[in-house]
Amino acid sequence: MFNFNFYTPTRIVFGKETEYRIGKLVKNVNCKKVLLHYGSGSVIRSGLLGRIKESLDASGVTYVELGGVVPNPRLSLVREGIEFCRKEGVDFLLAVGGGSVIDSAKAIGYGLANDGDVWDFYEHTRQASACLPIGVVLTIAASGSEMSNSSVITNDETLEKRGYNNDISRPVFAVMNPESTMTLPPYQTACGCTDILMHTMERYFTNGGNMEITDAIAEGLMRTVITNAKILVDDPDNYDARAEVMWSGSLSHNGLTGCGNDGGDFASHLLEHEIGGMFDVAHGAGLAAIWGSWARYVIDNCTPRFAKFAVNVMGVEPGKDDMETGLKGIAAMEDFYRAISMPTNLKELGIDPTEEQLETMAKNARIATGGPKGSAKKLEAEDMLKIYQMAAGK
Ligand code: NZQ
Ligand code: ZN
């Protein structure tokens, strides 16, 4: 096992009616003016935004609003938000929504606390030295951004989707009421469950420093998400299943399931980000569509981990050797994706990239990572292209 640094400063306020505590939570950070940041309207339709405003009003907190964040959040709105917040004197950002809204808030926070162009951080040409404090009211269990150090933004001029990780962006608090996720369309619930699984799978399929305790937490988390994702297909208002998935989402991406290993693989995420940037697909669905091809491509290099996953997570009967067991595990995972109506290739995702587009994605993925990517197997640009081709059936 490797040394590790586990830092998780976010206060979690979890459970029913917790949104009524927002006013007091924000008051405690001693800010002058809050930006209420949200998406395309689900929080208005559900009444959640109204309840949050009631709570802020009751605590005497002043706020302004900026909605309009879309999935695969746009740099143009980030820039608009930075300008707006400067003009208004905003000193605290409250993200009400999912990963897209939280990531947009993080980007606005970087832009406000640092000089120069915020996109520099996403291009990794310089580091941010500060970020405005951020609070979260989570409405979809998926990205884990409510506790993560990560923000993923799409440059709407170039269609590049890029991530920037820095601990200074970890939210101060996250309010998580599982009931708030009951208004999600089934497709988004399934996308979220996939993303949660993938955040732990990225850390599980590694070739270095594995720890028994980390594996046990990771395997338990993955089994929990699989069980409850299936429950939610038929019973979307099941509070306990919503709660299990929601808390799993935070634990999956706050670093806990990576303690002691070599930092994770994250090639599937890298490959998906290029698909999301070019085709604007839902992140979770994009991951499901690429994962099987990635897994079959790298299994030779990481066979024991795939065999362990097959038995301990997917519950398959061991085959004659680790390779056979591992392949059975991959097939079982794809069966699970189908059971929750997730795609297992690019065609099922609803896209049909040309060879040229596949090459562009592979080339850009290589640029985004600045070198070979992965731990299960280190991928060069030509490996990435082969995985895209497998997923595209070419
Ligand atoms: O915009 P609204 O109207 O709110 O609708 C959203 C959106 O259309 C809807 N939604 C959210 N909560 C809802 C709801 N609809 C009804 N009821 C609710 N309670 O769901 C749609 C998707 O929302 P989004 O925020 O995009 O989903 P998610 O949380 O999956 O975030 C995806 C983004 O996060 C990034 C992804 O790349 C993607 O851009 N990620 C961020 C990470 C991080 N910062 O740590 C890590 C992840 O790996 C991921 O890359
Ligand atoms: Zn993800």
Side-chain angles (χ1 to χ4, degrees), residues 38-43 45-46 69-73 96-103 106 138-146 148-154 161 180-185 188 191-192 195 199 253 266 269 272-273 283-284 287:
Y38 53 90
S40 302
S42 73
V43 296
R45 291 190 294 279
S46 68
V69 180
V70 292
N72 300 318
V96 185
S100 296
V101 176
I102 304 167
D103 289 2
K106 288 177 177 175
L138 191 66
T139 65
I140 170 171
S143 70
S145 187
E146 66 277 8
S148 83
N149 67 352
S150 174
S151 162
V152 188
I153 298 294
T154 298
K161 184 172 175 178
S180 301
T181 67
M182 289 179 186
T183 51
L184 279 166
Q188 288 296 342
C191 285
D195 194 20
H199 292 150
H253 203 36
F266 285 97
H269 265 75
E272 192 288 324
H273 283 172
H283 172 62
L287 288 169

Side-chain angles (χ1 to χ4, degrees), residues 4-18:
F4 61 86
N5 187 336
F6 178 57
Y7 176 62
T8 178
T10 308
R11 175 189 298 280
I12 299 297
V13 181
F14 193 99
K16 292 179 183 174
E17 296 182 4
T18 42

